[in-house]
Amino acid sequence: MTLTKIKSLASAALAAAALVVAAPVRAQDVAPDQLVKTVTLEVVELITKDKEIQAGNRAKLIQLIDAKVLPHFNFGAMTALALGQSWNKANPEQKKRLTEEFRTLLVRTYASALSAYSEQKFDFRPLRAKPSDTDVTVQVRVLQPGAQPVPIDYSMEKTASGWKVYDVMVGGVSLVANYRTEFGNAVRESGIDGLIKSLQAKNRTAEGSGK
């Protein structure tokens, strides 16, 4: 599978992830699979009926993502997983900056993916987990006209504030693992600070281009 294909799949995963977790519900009171199903359907309706978002109001879409989606992601865990062993080499300030830049990168990826959202439908699979489990995989299949279903698996962990997403897999390809390769190369070439500068530059470029 090519890197371009993986990144394309990652964008699809993020789009679906944004649809999955964005909803003002008491997430800590809801089973992870039920949370996925309920909020996916709610947010799909919200996006398709919002004339400003449909007309390309990117600022409103980013505001929606920031307010509704991001609280349900564990960005600290995602950044640590994406950095791998390099995470332990970073000092507290570097970890803070890395997490902030990774968060910004994913916000803009969400926005780009969601702006291309069309009439996909979803097949929500039964959760294969025990009630006592605190780390589960929620499986969803994205149904698209004229194409094979896209399997999307959400790795979620139970925390004091509810279930949090810490990785997304599309067709067996891990979003975190994809970034781990990219981040690892950057750290080897220019160190932790070099990776931070690279992420900052990427985010500034995306902001300037409206992507």
Side-chain angles (χ1 to χ4, degrees):
M1 182 176 290
T2 66
L3 182 59
T4 299
K5 180 64 173 177
I6 290 173
K7 289 186 175 180
S8 176
L9 289 172
S11 292
L14 288 167
L19 295 175
V20 162
V21 298
V25 298
R26 289 178 57 82
Q28 63 268 42
D29 297 335
V30 182
D33 57 332
Q34 187 58 46
L35 178 66
V36 165
K37 182 174 182 178
T38 301
V39 299
T40 297
L41 298 178
E42 288 178 349
V43 177
V44 166
E45 183 177 9
L46 175 63
I47 291 174
T48 55
K49 289 186 175 181
D50 191 305
K51 294 182 180 179
E52 292 183 60
I53 292 178
Q54 291 296 313
N57 188 327
R58 188 175 180 80
K60 187 171 184 180
L61 182 56
I62 288 177
Q63 183 180 33
L64 170 68
I65 293 167
D66 197 50
K68 304 297 185 182
V69 176
L70 301 192
H72 298 282
F73 276 74
N74 187 337
F75 282 105
M78 291 183 76
T79 308
L81 287 171
L83 264 293
Q85 293 182 348
S86 297
W87 180 254
N88 295 325
K89 301 175 183 177
N91 61 42
E93 177 60 24
Q94 289 174 323
K95 289 179 179 179
K96 179 176 180 290
R97 293 174 64 192
L98 283 166
T99 302
E100 290 172 348
E101 293 299 332
F102 192 36
R103 180 182 186 276
T104 300
L105 175 65
L106 293 181
V107 168
R108 297 195 175 280
T109 305
Y110 295 157
S112 296
L114 282 174
S115 65
Y117 174 76
S118 58
E119 297 297 323
Q120 289 97 341
K121 296 187 182 299
F122 303 90
D123 175 19
F124 304 98
R125 297 302 178 92
L127 181 64
R128 296 179 178 178
K130 299 187 295 291
S132 59
D133 287 346
T134 57
D135 191 314
V136 303
T137 300
V138 176
Q139 298 180 325
V140 180
R141 298 296 178 263
V142 182
L143 309 178
Q144 304 179 96
Q148 290 293 318
V150 178
I152 300 183
D153 299 335
Y154 303 95
S155 297
M156 302 178 71
E157 60 180 348
K158 191 173 186 179
T159 72
S161 56
W163 288 92
K164 304 285 185 181
V165 176
Y166 66 87
D167 195 10
V168 184
M169 297 186 70
V170 182
V173 179
S174 162
L175 174 67
V176 166
N178 179 50
Y179 278 111
R180 185 181 298 133
T181 300
E182 181 180 334
F183 289 178
N185 290 337
V187 171
R188 281 192 294 273
E189 291 177 4
S190 52
I192 297 292
D193 286 334
L195 172 59
I196 293 171
K197 290 179 181 178
S198 174
L199 288 172
Q200 288 174 331
K202 185 178 296 186
N203 286 331
R204 282 196 301 268
T205 300
E207 182 177 4
S209 65
K211 293 183 179 179

